[in-house]
Amino acid sequence: MEEPMIEETYSGFCKALNETRTVFCEFEEKDGKRILSSADCAYGACPHSKICLLMKQMEEEL
């Protein structure tokens, strides 16, 4: 049986776009841990990913 997809939204300031935005994220759950499978922003590829306060919310929940 396939695990259900978990969907979350996070809001905050995006340094790359220089504006407030909401990011929609999808997670898979494996061995009791959430793993980010997609985000509707350039998280990971964005040059600001390491200091992104918006996505830090998501990282704190993992």
Side-chain angles (χ1 to χ4, degrees), residues 2-41:
E2 191 172 316
E3 295 291 327
M5 187 69 63
I6 300 164
E7 301 172 340
E8 300 280 344
T9 57
Y10 301 94
S11 297
F13 183 76
C14 175
K15 190 170 182 173
L17 297 177
N18 195 31
E19 66 183 17
T20 302
R21 68 167 297 198
T22 299
V23 176
F24 179 80
C25 298
E26 292 183 338
F27 299 89
E28 294 178 27
E29 194 160 315
K30 292 185 181 179
D31 300 324
K33 293 184 178 183
R34 280 187 178 187
I35 300 169
L36 179 67
S37 57
S38 69
D40 73 343
C41 70

Side-chain angles (χ1 to χ4, degrees), residues 8-10 27 34 55-62:
E8 300 280 344
T9 57
Y10 301 94
F27 299 89
R34 280 187 178 187
M55 294 302 280
K56 184 176 182 179
Q57 301 169 64
M58 178 272 303
E59 292 172 346
E60 289 173 350
E61 291 184 10
L62 293 181

